[in-house]
Amino acid sequence: MTLQTKKYINCKGRLISIEKPIVMGILNITADSFFDGGKHNRLDAAIFQTEKMLQEGATIIDIGAQSTRPGADIIEAEKELAVAIPIIEALVKQFPQAVFSIDTFHAQVAKQAVLAGVSIINDVSAGDDDVDMFNVVVECKVPYIMMHKQGNSKTMQLKPTYSNVVLDIIDYFVPKINYLRQQGVADLIVDPGFGFGKNLAHNYELLNKLKQFEILGLPILAGMSRKKMIQKVINEEAANALNGTTVANTIALMHGANILRVHDVKEAMECVNIYNRLMGQEADN
């Protein structure tokens, strides 16, 4: 039984329905992201990819100027801002009707990105990596995606350990949700953080029991696109992990995911459309 009651998120006055699942397209403007690093870090390439993902059905474009893949070097907020803000400003101008999110754990980057036009903060550290992040979320009054991770990019995959991975992560979210609710934050989204401080067994237990996160009463984001949890099972590299990603995304939808965060929007939208048909949420043509 789901406790979720809200069927929309308020993005600076624009209501985004999540009554049916939606797709978030990944726009990495870094040089070293694990799959598409260096592909979209020029403005013309970022514009092209954004237009492509919007045409394919993405509801949100998630802009990331810092790689958080396992082993990645952490860059300072000032350097992240120098990369992110010019591209954000250009994209907001080019696509004024689009909804953009900023993928960052730096509070300063989040705030400046919102001022530049993004409508959602997507934080892989759920406030743990920057003590000012929750203050920025409260101040900016935009939806906040909080993701669970264990450790940082250098340490998270060394030896992740849990008593019960699902319950431990739910327990991790509860005080954060309560605090932000008390501060008046209206729109929160949880992301269990596939691949971030989880081994293969942890990841698949999370996927199998994703529906248990509905107890939090919040939308659930699933981000598994081309990750190691898929590569290892199908014995392929990220470049050949699209089919496996499609299977995992379909399972996530069946288990309660409201948002799919993906590199490949067209294929994810196909998952959503088939899921909606299966659930009787699409009228006959």
Side-chain angles (χ1 to χ4, degrees):
M1 176 180 176
T2 177
L3 300 179
Q4 183 181 324
T5 56
K6 293 193 71 170
K7 297 297 182 183
Y8 62 87
I9 53 176
N10 187 337
C11 299
K12 292 184 173 178
R14 186 181 309 174
L15 298 183
I16 305 298
S17 173
I18 53 169
E19 190 166 4
K20 299 176 184 178
I22 62 173
V23 171
M24 169 187 277
I26 299 168
L27 183 68
N28 286 324
I29 54 175
T30 61
D32 60 343
S33 292
F34 84 95
F35 169 61
D36 56 358
K39 290 184 178 181
H40 310 126
N41 56 344
R42 301 185 322 275
L43 179 56
D44 59 340
I47 290 173
F48 177 86
Q49 181 67 3
T50 297
E51 184 172 29
K52 177 177 181 289
M53 291 192 291
L54 290 171
Q55 289 176 346
E56 290 176 345
T59 300
I60 303 165
I61 304 297
D62 190 39
I63 303 171
Q66 172 148 205
S67 176
T68 52
R69 62 176 173 78
D73 292 327
I74 297 172
I75 64 172
E76 297 175 353
E78 291 76 14
K79 293 182 179 179
E80 189 177 345
L81 282 167
V83 173
I85 299 304
I87 289 183
I88 289 170
E89 290 175 342
L91 291 176
V92 169
K93 183 177 180 180
Q94 183 80 14
F95 306 101
Q97 299 305 311
V99 176
F100 294 98
S101 57
I102 180 66
D103 178 7
T104 186
F105 51 81
H106 286 306
Q108 181 184 353
V109 175
K111 181 175 181 177
Q112 293 304 315
V114 171
L115 292 174
V118 308
S119 304
I120 301 170
I121 297 171
N122 180 16
D123 178 8
V124 299
S125 78
D128 287 344
D129 288 353
D130 191 328
V131 295
D132 290 328
M133 180 61 84
F134 281 7
N135 293 331
V136 167
V137 172
V138 172
E139 177 186 351
C140 290
K141 295 181 173 59
V142 295
Y144 180 54
I145 302 169
M146 56 174 71
M147 192 196 82
H148 173 273
K149 66 178 176 66
Q150 194 175 89
N152 58 39
S153 59
K154 293 291 188 182
T155 65
M156 62 188 178
Q157 291 306 111
L158 296 180
K159 194 176 180 181
T161 304
Y162 300 88
S163 297
N164 178 307
V165 66
V166 176
L167 297 182
D168 287 359
I169 295 173
I170 289 173
D171 287 344
Y172 168 85
F173 282 133
V174 168
K176 295 174 180 290
I177 293 167
N178 290 341
Y179 174 79
L180 289 167
R181 286 287 193 224
Q182 291 168 4
Q183 300 303 309
V185 179
D187 294 294
L188 297 170
I189 298 160
V190 294
D191 176 353
F194 291 101
F196 283 77
K198 286 93 179 174
N199 61 29
L200 198 62
H202 295 146
N203 285 316
Y204 279 92
E205 185 172 358
L206 284 173
L207 180 57
N208 189 37
K209 298 179 180 178
L210 192 63
K211 204 166 187 66
Q212 291 188 21
F213 287 89
E214 290 180 348
I215 196 172
L216 297 171
L218 299 174
I220 301 166
L221 184 148
M224 299 175 287
S225 185
R226 298 180 180 262
K227 287 184 176 179
K228 286 289 186 182
M229 65 175 285
I230 295 167
Q231 297 174 39
K232 288 180 179 179
V233 172
I234 65 173
N235 196 28
E236 291 284 359
E237 297 297 319
N240 298 317
L242 175 55
N243 189 55
T245 298
T246 296
V247 175
N249 282 336
T250 303
I251 295 169
L253 293 171
M254 296 293 293
H255 290 189
N258 303 99
I259 305 171
L260 298 178
R261 182 180 183 273
V262 300
H263 298 92
D264 309 280
V265 171
K266 177 179 180 293
E267 290 78 2
M269 284 301 303
E270 290 172 356
C271 296
V272 169
N273 291 338
I274 290 173
Y275 169 78
N276 288 340
R277 170 62 62 173
L278 179 67
M279 303 303 291
Q281 297 185 43
E282 296 293 345
D284 291 330
N285 294 324

